[in-house]
Amino acid sequence: MKNKFFLSAAALIMAACTGADTDSGFILNEQEYFERQGVNVLVYSNLFTGGFNDEKTSGIELIHHGVRTAQGGAVRLSHTPEQWDLVPATTSRTVNKTDGSIEVSLRYEDYDFDSRIVVSEKGNAVEIAVYLDEELTEFLVGKAVFNMEFLPSQYWGKTYIVDGRPDRFPKYAASRTTTLPNEEKPKQFKGYRTYDDRGTGRFVDPLPLESGRSFLIAPDAPERMVAVSSPDSDIMLFDGRMLAQNGWYVFRSLLPEGKTGKVMTWTVEPNAIEGWIREPNIGFSQVGYIPEQPKIAVIELDKKDKPLARASLYKVTEDGSDVKAYTGEVESWGDFYKYHYARFDFSEVTDPGIYYICYGDVKTNNFIINNNVYDKITDATSDIWIPIHMNHMYVNENYRVWHGEPFKEGYRQAPPSTDHFDLHHQGPATDTKFKALELIPGLNVGGFFDAGDFDIETHSNISVVENLVRAWELFGSKRDQTFVSQEQRYVDLHRPDGTPDLLQYIEHGTLNLVAQAEIIGHMAQTLSNSVLDNYHHLGDAGSLTDGLPYNPALGPYEVAADGRSSGVKDDLWAFTSRNPQLDFSAATMFAAASRALRGYNDDLADRALKQSKRLLAEANELMSANPENGRGGRNGNLSANLQLYVSTGEKQYLDQFDKSIWPMLEQNVNIAMMTALDAIPYMDESYRERLRPYVIKYKEYIEGLELDNPYGVPIGRGNWAGGGATLNFGTTVCFASKYYPDIIDKSHAYKTAEWFFGRHPYHNYSLVATVGAARPKEVFYGNNRADFSFIPGNVAPGLLFRHPDHFENYDDWPFLWGQNEGTIGGNTSYLIFGSAFKNLIKD
Ligand SMILES: [Ca+2]
Ligand SMILES: [Ca+2]
Ligand SMILES: [Ca+2]
């Protein structure tokens, strides 16, 4: 990025600064957004195209003194849009540089409803106008609105003034609602409903907190103050949290009945603090440093900030005072998107102790330099986060119950041709011996919750077992802090039971996956919710369903006289369309699991190996019968062949591996390197030598990252932050350095650890909940997110990129999964990275 982008970026910044310096109000900059110093107004730089419908990251967005505080800015069909309410498609976006405006066309296909929004700069404000070419249909009158949504955590407790009347934004949702007949509810995503109407036939509709022509939002907080007014429409304020905990404060105006042309106008004037410069963000490892490692803080600076020449390190002494331990130069790195970066290298400080960094007026929190700082980096993940995510178990921790035993009623066959809300699909047939909605007995055993939701994603549960087996075989941790009883279906944290936890977790994952293979005959895509109104469940997983199988003979909400069935349609479904690629991955995992389980649970080891061989044979047959089935699975097949060779010692698998690995390395060394390194313990010296030139090529990739960004790690720019890829990179570097220390210097491995522990853009908090840091992140998108909390050991995906130039990670608002949701796949990858990293630095 740096080299290719540097010149043009510098030119852009100069252009942008010329306008901002004189503060002649907003300019429409080269990045196609409206800019004043401290204020960015983005107009459909990010579209409503996220995989999960309304992700609260699209439309007209306000980045106010560095924080993205408002979004939405669309024609919507309800007072307080929820995630699964319909979002408009953006059919066109036109940037008009000459008159400083951006126009977008929006369309709701379901209602054949088109509208246009034009945003223009008007000095210190932007004007937002809505145009209709046709009058609203009868159904849309009173529903179609223009809205903008403001982030509650940035506004609660602050004041507002509406037409001269002062009031305060509520900390918690406690206003009024009404109910309306279901026929009046606009359609939701794929025809699902977010709510359970309890048999009333009516849905809940929030009532406004306030209404007026002119709102002054947060006059008490200059960095958040925004004036919103309309000459032609009443603006209403709603609290979106009345319907959904992740709702925002919604300002909205109804589009008028019977009108076309310019039907509504708002003026939005975000306050810009005069002379505001964003405070430097000093990125460093909150967990600390071992004495020998490189120690380079990365300082993120406002582009109008001038880097200081020097920074200092202070040591906290044993009498409680502090002394200056080191002063060194701050070196400019260059620009990366909208900020400027500099680095402060204090590697020469090796004396164990407690330190903090001072850069100008900014003093960081403390960190430790000592040989033990990384010793505990995986403990919270392995002792707390992973066991809490064990499905079909009661999980206890001291005085606290994390959840009761979920899904006692088991799983039903998903009906054919079902489009699911969590991106699954049941094909035209069941591919099983079960009839639609028939109970599939025996699946409610083992397995791990996917993430902030409670489903079993088969492909990620497969990767979890693989990760756990790798941790077991490569690092041999016999750690035992968890009591697990499959017989009692009971887990107790902090209670050793004489069995290594890793073995118990491998067993737990394998139990569910073997049950799928044995009972269904192949792997299910997912075991997931059948109704949307319990998919967004926040609370005890044991209360997500009623624990009783659905009985169609009973009325809705009725429980049978014997208490053993109910008329509640809440049972989860198994999505069973056969995917030979998934069976292939399962075969690999079963082969690995059988090795780990041998001697601990021989029966399960046998069953896993039997399913491995059967699924492998059947998957190969299905894939050769239809080559389409084999698409995109080359890397999967590669690791499968390696695992099967390791488990069986059969040469055919080795030959197959050898045939595929070299072309893969030729094609993309970064992607294939980890699998190639995985094979080293099982191969001879000639393999290691043949791999050597590719490791040299991989080193060039690592060094290229130093030019791409100031952090030297791969940084994802997708709709889900790139933490997973960064972890995989870190793990690959650890193994490459372990096997080829003469090529890959150990120092490269620290970069991934530093990224996760605080050296990254936006803020400098550790992305791993509670781990060894003075300032870990405090809110995550876990299943306790409604409490603005975390589950210890969770790893956030991290820095979410918003186009065209903004990275963010909210630490006061947990609800954006793309930046705050730890997954069972990701967190077990962190376990591997952490183990490999600890192992490498111990050498
Ligand atoms: Ca899921
Ligand atoms: Ca144990
Ligand atoms: Ca049930």
Side-chain angles (χ1 to χ4, degrees), residues 434-707:
F434 300 99
K435 289 195 286 291
L437 299 179
E438 186 180 347
L439 181 73
I440 305 178
L443 293 179
N444 55 330
V445 60
F448 293 91
F449 300 140
D450 178 30
D453 50 4
F454 301 93
D455 53 327
I456 289 186
E457 294 278 3
T458 300
H459 76 91
S460 61
N461 268 261
I462 289 171
S463 78
V464 166
V465 172
E466 280 174 345
N467 283 336
L468 294 169
V469 171
R470 283 176 83 193
W472 174 251
E473 292 188 334
L474 294 169
F475 309 109
S477 166
K478 303 275 193 296
R479 193 175 174 86
D480 173 22
Q481 288 299 315
T482 312
F483 171 94
V484 181
S485 168
Q486 291 295 339
E487 203 187 350
Q488 297 174 21
R489 296 201 168 211
Y490 194 93
V491 175
D492 200 13
L493 309 188
H494 317 302
R495 175 190 292 277
D497 62 0
T499 304
D501 300 337
L502 271 178
L503 272 186
Q504 290 169 313
Y505 302 158
I506 292 167
E507 177 183 46
H508 193 72
T510 307
L511 276 170
N512 184 266
L513 296 164
V514 162
Q516 288 190 25
E518 290 177 345
I519 298 165
I520 296 170
H522 56 268
M523 304 314 291
Q525 295 171 49
T526 184
L527 308 179
S528 190
N529 308 57
S530 61
V531 286
L532 183 52
D533 68 64
N534 67 21
Y535 174 70
H536 49 57
H537 181 78
L538 291 172
D540 183 348
S543 63
L544 194 156
T545 63
D546 63 4
L548 303 172
Y550 172 63
N551 179 350
L554 299 168
Y557 309 100
E558 195 183 338
V559 177
D562 66 1
R564 299 177 67 171
S565 62
S566 82
V568 183
K569 280 189 180 176
D570 65 1
D571 299 5
L572 270 58
W573 288 351
F575 286 75
T576 55
S577 291
R578 186 159 200 178
N579 172 358
Q581 278 297 339
L582 197 59
D583 292 347
F584 209 100
S585 314
T588 315
M589 171 276 306
F590 283 139
S594 74
R595 294 197 304 268
L597 291 167
R598 183 71 57 204
Y600 164 62
N601 183 339
D602 286 333
D603 174 59
L604 190 60
D606 289 342
R607 288 164 64 198
L609 193 59
K610 184 176 165 192
Q611 293 306 322
S612 173
K613 288 179 176 164
R614 181 180 69 81
L615 287 178
L616 182 71
E618 291 182 16
N620 275 331
E621 209 168 292
L622 285 166
M623 285 192 286
S624 54
N626 181 2
E628 272 291 286
N629 282 331
R631 271 181 314 162
R634 285 225 294 175
N635 209 10
N637 295 6
L638 202 60
S639 355
N641 282 306
L642 177 64
Q643 287 304 320
L644 286 160
Y645 168 66
V646 177
S647 283
T648 64
E650 288 174 29
K651 195 166 170 298
Q652 46 156 333
Y653 299 124
L654 178 63
D655 293 344
Q656 206 52 46
F657 175 80
D658 198 58
K659 216 167 79 183
S660 319
I661 186 69
W662 307 109
M664 279 284 297
L665 284 161
E666 282 296 330
Q667 203 177 53
N668 191 328
V669 76
N670 330 334
I671 291 176
M673 182 51 67
M674 192 61 241
T675 310
L677 293 168
D678 268 344
I680 281 192
Y682 316 106
M683 301 299 204
D684 59 17
E685 192 54 34
S686 68
Y687 176 85
R688 199 187 274 237
E689 278 312 302
R690 196 173 166 195
L691 188 56
R692 180 169 281 274
Y694 296 101
V695 179
I696 292 169
K697 219 163 131 190
Y698 189 68
K699 185 192 179 189
E700 289 163 16
Y701 165 69
I702 297 174
E703 288 171 349
L705 290 169
E706 300 271 354
L707 301 175

Side-chain angles (χ1 to χ4, degrees), residues 170-195:
K171 174 84 191 223
Y172 198 87
S175 53
R176 293 180 309 126
T177 65
T178 185
T179 64
L180 294 170
N182 283 338
E183 306 81 72
E184 286 296 309
K185 178 92 176 170
K187 282 176 203 165
Q188 294 188 289
F189 190 51
K190 295 180 182 175
Y192 287 96
R193 270 189 195 168
T194 49
Y195 60 102

